[in-house]
């Protein structure tokens, strides 16, 4: 990284500090106008976004529109419609003053200032722009660094930002570890990171050096419990949709299944028949591409470590970066595939005899980003949720909570900290400042 680029980054950072200091970004009319303008520009890039996603990740047009473009547009519409109502000061009760004077108490959503948003590769559009619009709704400026692993998308992100904003308000710097490390030395007012727990630690350490508040949107192994009374046909369809979208590269994808031993054979049979009819594809390309050859090799190593456990799929092509939807059974916690987040289309199946033993294993491990439970018994499902923790959870479904801007989304512990989407983005990207006045 040249000194010239470093100076350029510092120059833009200073410009954003100055611009934030003018108070312009705090004006509600300004924020609304910027989001409306961004909506127009962003929507006009739909073709370019979908083409770039096809090249970098093999996403189909329908998938790209549904899980990348539409999610950002829905969030934008919700924010534009409700922003004025959300950002109003909240008046609360006051404790009496010793002198008997009247006291007024309220809190306001105050923007932090210059934000730094670091994006991952897997949903590179949605996971860069959803935080951005939250930051702008709250009255901040932002610098974005998209993932270097989806270079075509990163270029489109830069093009959109350049067309929609001045750089003193929003700017993009492309790059990888070196650029990110340099950017993390700047005194940002807030950092929003989406990526792996490993890099999350690096980002958090850098933030700690300057005591910069931050959000970490991380990952982990999200368990999927299938109880003996689950509707197996529905369960398979809904688990498959969450697991194999984007070739398994989804932060909240079901990482593994924990099924009651009495229905394991029936579940496996159901999966096999569903995979044959819905996912079979000689070219292996139906579910998208793995981001890199290195990751294909990681995934392949899980299969090579226990080939006898691979009961469906297992084929891959290093050149095209395709990897088949794959099932493993009779898996246990010592298997290589259970040692870290899989982040690929391999679905291991473990069995339990009693739910207590399954929950003991789950809760003795790092807190996952999502937890899914399939059961027709509401009490059983509620009990599983009550006795575990995870960023978020679903009953009889997977993945779709992320797409709802009515729900706060985020992790807990090793799967992250901080929640966003919809109104929760305002809370995430604002400092709640209490103001007390004695009359
Ligand atoms: P990653 O952690 O490898 O990279 C994320 C960002 O960090 C990239 O912009 C990258 O340039 C930067 N980076 C990588 N190594 C770095 C280093 N050593 N120093 C400084 N910066 C560095 O993550 P990824 O591979 O892009 O995404 C996959 C991970 O992200 C998975 O763990 C997944 O679960 C998680 N994820 C979480 C969410 C969520 O919303 N919680 C969403 C998507 C992905």
């Amino acid at each position: 990284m040249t000194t010239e680029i470093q100076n350029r980054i510092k120059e833009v950072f200073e410009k954003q500090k100055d611009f934030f200091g003018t108070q312009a970004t705090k004006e509600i009319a300004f924020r609304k106008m910027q989001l409306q303008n961004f909506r127009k520009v962003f929507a006009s890039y739909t073709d370019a976004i979908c083409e770039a996603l096809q090249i970098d990740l093999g996403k189909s047009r329908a998938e790209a529109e549904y899980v990348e473009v539409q999610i950002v547009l829905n969030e934008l519409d919700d924010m534009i419609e409700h922003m004025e109502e959300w950002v109003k000061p909240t008046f609360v009760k006051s404790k009496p003053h010793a002198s008997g004077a009247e006291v007024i108490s309220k809190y306001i959503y105050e923007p932090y200032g210059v934000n730094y948003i670091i994006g991952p590769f897997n949903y590179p559009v949605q996971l860069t722009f959803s935080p951005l619009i939250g930051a702008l709704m709250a009255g901040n400026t932002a610098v974005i660094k998209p993932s270097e692993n989806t270079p075509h998308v990163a270029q489109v992100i830069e093009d959109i930002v350049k067309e929609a904003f001045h750089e003193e308000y929003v700017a993009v710097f492309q790059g990888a570890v070196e650029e990110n490390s340099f950017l993390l030395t700047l005194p940002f007012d807030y950092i929003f990171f989406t990526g792996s727990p490993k890099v999350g630690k690096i980002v958090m350490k850098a933030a700690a050096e300057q005591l910069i508040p931050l959000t970490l949107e991380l990952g982990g192994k999200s368990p999927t419990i299938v109880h003996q009374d689950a509707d197996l046909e529905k369960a398979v369809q809904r688990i498959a949709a969450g697991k194999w979208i984007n070739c398994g590269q989804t932060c909240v994808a079901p990482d593994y299944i924990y099924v009651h031993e009495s229905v394991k054979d029936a579940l496996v049979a159901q999966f096999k028949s569903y995979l044959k009819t819905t996912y079979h594809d000689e070219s292996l390309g139906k579910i998208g591409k793995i981001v890199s050859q290195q990751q294909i090799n990681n995934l392949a190593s899980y299969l090579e470590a226990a080939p006898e456990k691979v009961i469906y799929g297992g084929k891959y092509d290093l050149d095209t970066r395709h990897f088949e939807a794959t099932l493993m059974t009779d898996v246990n916690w010592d298997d290589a595939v259970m040692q870290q987040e899989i982040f690929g289309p391999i679905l291991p199946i473990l069995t339990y005899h009693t739910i207590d033993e399954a929950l003991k294993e789950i809760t003795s491990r790092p807190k996952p980003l999502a937890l899914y439970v399939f059961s027709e018994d509401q009490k059983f499902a509620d009990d599983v949720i009550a006795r575990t923790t995870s960023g978020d959870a679903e009953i009889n479904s997977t993945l779709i909570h992320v797409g709802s801007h009515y729900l706060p989304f985020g992790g807990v512990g090793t799967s992250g900290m901080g929640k966003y989407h919809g109104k929760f983005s305002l809370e995430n990207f604002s400092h709640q400042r209490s103001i007390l006045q004695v009359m």
Side-chain angles (χ1 to χ4, degrees):
M1 188 186 184
T2 61
T3 319
E4 207 174 278
I5 295 174
Q6 289 189 354
N7 289 340
R8 175 85 186 109
I9 293 175
K10 279 195 220 157
E11 180 199 333
V12 170
F13 175 80
E14 288 305 328
K15 274 191 186 174
Q16 291 208 1
K17 278 261 171 211
D18 290 347
F19 185 57
F20 183 74
T22 66
Q23 310 299 319
T25 65
K26 294 183 184 169
E27 293 296 327
I28 309 296
F30 174 87
R31 300 187 209 177
K32 204 165 175 180
M33 193 255 296
Q34 292 293 342
L35 290 183
Q36 279 164 337
N37 181 52
F38 174 68
R39 194 191 191 289
K40 270 194 219 123
V41 176
F42 177 75
S44 76
Y45 273 83
T46 301
D47 287 346
I49 289 170
C50 293
E51 279 157 27
L53 285 166
Q54 171 61 40
I55 300 169
D56 288 339
L57 291 169
K59 285 195 195 196
S60 67
R61 171 91 195 195
E63 189 178 317
E65 283 197 29
Y66 182 55
V67 296
E68 299 264 20
V69 178
Q70 208 50 50
I71 285 196
V72 176
L73 290 176
N74 290 345
E75 280 257 343
L76 271 165
D77 291 342
D78 188 42
M79 288 178 182
I80 292 167
E81 186 184 341
H82 296 109
M83 188 168 81
E84 276 155 357
E85 164 203 333
W86 291 345
V87 301
K88 277 188 190 148
T90 305
F91 287 86
V92 295
K93 280 187 184 168
S94 299
K95 287 189 124 187
H97 192 258
S99 69
E102 189 193 344
V103 182
I104 297 171
S105 304
K106 66 179 177 186
Y107 60 88
I108 60 167
Y109 289 109
E110 186 181 76
Y112 284 107
V114 184
N115 285 229
Y116 180 35
I117 295 168
I118 308 161
F121 80 80
N122 60 336
Y123 291 83
V125 176
Q126 188 224 124
L127 294 174
T128 307
F129 284 138
S130 288
L132 174 71
I133 57 180
L136 301 187
M137 168 180 60
N140 298 282
T141 73
V143 170
I144 297 171
K145 194 203 79 63
S147 171
E148 71 279 17
N149 293 320
T150 39
H152 296 86
V153 178
Q155 190 53 51
V156 178
I157 289 174
E158 184 172 341
D159 294 345
I160 293 172
V161 166
K162 280 192 170 145
E163 189 171 328
F165 305 109
H166 294 297
E167 66 182 16
E168 69 259 32
Y169 184 41
V170 183
V172 172
F173 287 105
Q174 294 201 41
V177 177
E178 208 185 341
E179 289 75 8
N180 197 20
S181 305
F182 177 73
L183 278 150
L184 285 168
T185 64
L186 299 180
F188 283 100
D189 298 294
Y190 199 85
I191 296 172
F192 189 101
F193 171 78
T194 307
S196 60
K198 184 171 147 239
V199 181
K201 287 182 195 170
I202 296 171
V203 172
M204 196 167 175
K205 269 190 196 150
E209 281 300 317
Q210 305 185 74
L211 290 177
I212 300 173
L214 82 167
T215 298
L216 296 175
E217 293 286 342
L218 310 177
K221 288 181 89 62
S222 295
T224 302
I225 294 166
V226 180
H227 199 43
Q228 64 213 52
D229 61 358
D231 178 329
L232 296 184
E233 196 181 338
K234 272 193 202 150
V236 164
Q237 284 172 21
R238 294 173 187 177
I239 294 169
K243 179 68 187 185
W244 287 300
I245 188 171
N246 202 24
C247 215
Q249 300 163 112
T250 303
C251 54
V252 288
D255 187 273
Y256 61 93
I257 290 181
Y258 231 142
V259 62
H260 190 269
E261 58 187 12
S262 65
V263 290
K264 179 216 149 194
D265 290 344
L267 182 79
V268 167
Q270 190 78 39
F271 257 119
K272 278 186 174 169
S273 107
Y274 190 69
L275 276 163
K276 272 190 198 122
T277 52
T278 316
Y279 285 87
H280 180 72
D281 173 19
E282 287 303 327
S283 75
L284 312 179
K286 196 165 189 171
I287 57 174
K289 284 184 199 174
I290 295 296
V291 70
S292 66
Q293 292 190 335
Q294 190 199 328
Q295 174 61 356
I296 297 225
N297 288 331
N298 288 344
L299 294 168
S301 73
Y302 303 149
L303 309 186
E304 280 152 23
E308 72 287 359
K309 297 187 178 182
V310 179
I311 54 145
Y312 186 94
K315 291 204 277 297
Y316 56 90
D317 183 331
L318 262 183
D319 293 330
T320 60
R321 289 189 277 123
H322 290 141
F323 204 111
E324 201 175 9
T326 299
L327 274 186
M328 293 175 81
T329 52
D330 302 317
V331 173
N332 61 56
W333 287 103
D334 296 326
D335 281 310
V337 73
M338 295 307 288
Q339 303 314 307
Q340 55 277 304
E341 181 182 10
I342 300 168
F343 226 58
I346 303 172
L347 183 58
I349 299 178
L350 291 78
T351 52
Y352 64 84
H353 178 59
T354 66
I355 191 63
D356 290 355
E357 86 199 27
L359 297 189
K360 195 168 165 216
E361 293 289 355
I362 290 170
T363 53
S364 67
R365 293 182 159 75
K367 296 173 182 174
L369 185 58
L371 181 142
Y372 304 113
V373 51
F374 286 80
S375 170
E376 293 301 298
D377 179 350
Q378 185 71 44
K379 198 166 162 302
F380 174 85
D382 291 343
D383 187 51
V384 165
I385 290 177
R387 291 169 63 193
T388 54
T389 186
S390 60
D392 302 302
E394 289 190 29
I395 299 171
N396 291 334
S397 164
T398 69
L399 213 68
I400 53 178
H401 66 285
V402 186
S404 169
H405 49 259
Y406 303 112
L407 284 170
F409 169 69
V412 58
T414 49
S415 57
M417 60 175 78
K419 292 274 188 180
Y420 77 125
H421 287 177
K423 179 169 186 207
F424 306 97
S425 292
L426 176 72
E427 292 171 8
N428 184 79
F429 286 101
S430 310
H431 158 56
Q432 288 176 39
R433 188 177 184 194
S434 294
I435 302 168
L436 184 147
Q437 182 172 4
V438 180
M439 306 307 280

